[in-house]
Amino acid sequence: MRFNRVLLSTTLVVVALVVQVSVLARLQLPGAVPDLLLLTVLGLALVYGHMAGAFIGFGAGLLADLAPPADHAAGRYALVLCVIGYLAGLVKPDSGQLKSATGPMLVVVAAAVGSTLLYAGVGALVGDTAARHVGLGSLLFTAAVYDLLLAPFTVPLIMGLARRAENDPLAESSGGGGSGTDVASGWLSSGTGLRIGRQRGGLRVKAARTRASRAGRIKGVKRL
């Protein structure tokens, strides 16, 4: 991994872990906890690919295993995020841009469900039956819902930062600066019913041109 990848990935993982532990874990929501660390790994893996996704996932999971108030064996969540990061990197878009929201949304749901199942499975092997007492079905459903609601506000931003870090300075100055917007537009404008400002501006310009052409035709008719 290149230095800029390591620096950006480390920064994003540490920030996500701090927010995860200090904010999201204290919301006391029913069922699972929104997994910002998982979404960070997904966003980076969708840009960097499967090998980098596996390394980032392992490092992020290991930090989560060691950070208080972790109450499970070290390496358990590292294994989970390593597998998730590898699998997510296999489906990264070739261009790095999200042209449809459907694919990334399915990736988020599959990752939320898969990570919960894998975490519970590894826990069962080491004698941890907490998931059984809480209710595995409830954990799967709430994990998918929470991560899906949080994903549009995190994954496009993370992918945009990762793509920006990958570009050369000359490439950024020649048009690479809009990469974050491209990622966000691909997530938000397709399948969610939302429209971004650039699209609204284009519609306004088109409407203005239409009105001008109609006015020209009316003036021509009056002169005749």
Side-chain angles (χ1 to χ4, degrees):
M1 296 175 66
R2 285 180 278 182
F3 176 75
N4 55 351
R5 287 190 179 187
V6 175
L7 180 61
L8 178 64
S9 301
T10 303
T11 303
L12 292 176
V13 165
V14 171
V15 171
L17 181 60
V18 171
V19 175
Q20 180 82 29
V21 174
S22 60
V23 178
L24 297 180
R26 299 184 179 183
L27 294 178
Q28 297 182 349
L29 296 173
V33 176
D35 200 338
L36 182 59
L37 199 60
L38 172 66
L39 297 178
T40 302
V41 172
L42 290 180
L44 294 173
L46 287 173
V47 176
Y48 293 151
H50 59 283
M51 292 303 297
F55 282 112
I56 294 171
F58 179 81
L62 189 59
L63 286 178
D65 288 333
L66 299 177
D71 56 354
H72 54 267
R76 181 175 169 184
Y77 201 47
L79 173 61
V80 172
L81 287 187
C82 179
V83 174
I84 296 298
Y86 180 86
L87 295 178
L90 293 177
V91 297
K92 77 165 188 172
D94 295 333
S95 62
Q97 298 182 7
L98 300 176
K99 298 181 180 180
S100 173
T102 305
M105 289 169 66
L106 292 177
V107 171
V108 170
V109 173
V113 173
S115 61
T116 304
L117 286 175
L118 187 57
Y119 185 84
V122 175
L125 293 177
V126 298
D128 185 0
T129 59
R132 185 184 307 172
H133 297 297
V134 174
L136 185 57
S138 175
L139 287 177
L140 292 175
F141 177 76
T142 53
V145 171
Y146 295 155
D147 291 349
L148 193 58
L149 292 176
L150 186 60
F153 305 100
T154 55
V155 177
L157 176 61
I158 293 170
M159 292 185 66
L161 292 174
R163 288 180 56 206
R164 181 76 63 87
E166 286 292 280
N167 291 335
D168 295 329
L170 293 178
E172 285 191 13
S173 62
S174 63
S179 59
T181 304
D182 294 336
V183 174
S185 64
W187 185 286
L188 296 176
S189 65
S190 175
T192 59
L194 300 178
R195 294 293 183 268
I196 60 174
R198 188 167 56 184
Q199 292 173 327
R200 290 197 298 266
L203 292 176
R204 291 171 183 170
V205 172
K206 185 177 180 180
R209 291 177 179 175
T210 303
R211 288 195 297 269
S213 62
R214 289 179 179 175
R217 289 198 297 270
I218 294 173
K219 289 180 179 178
V221 172
K222 289 182 178 180
R223 289 176 183 175
L224 291 177

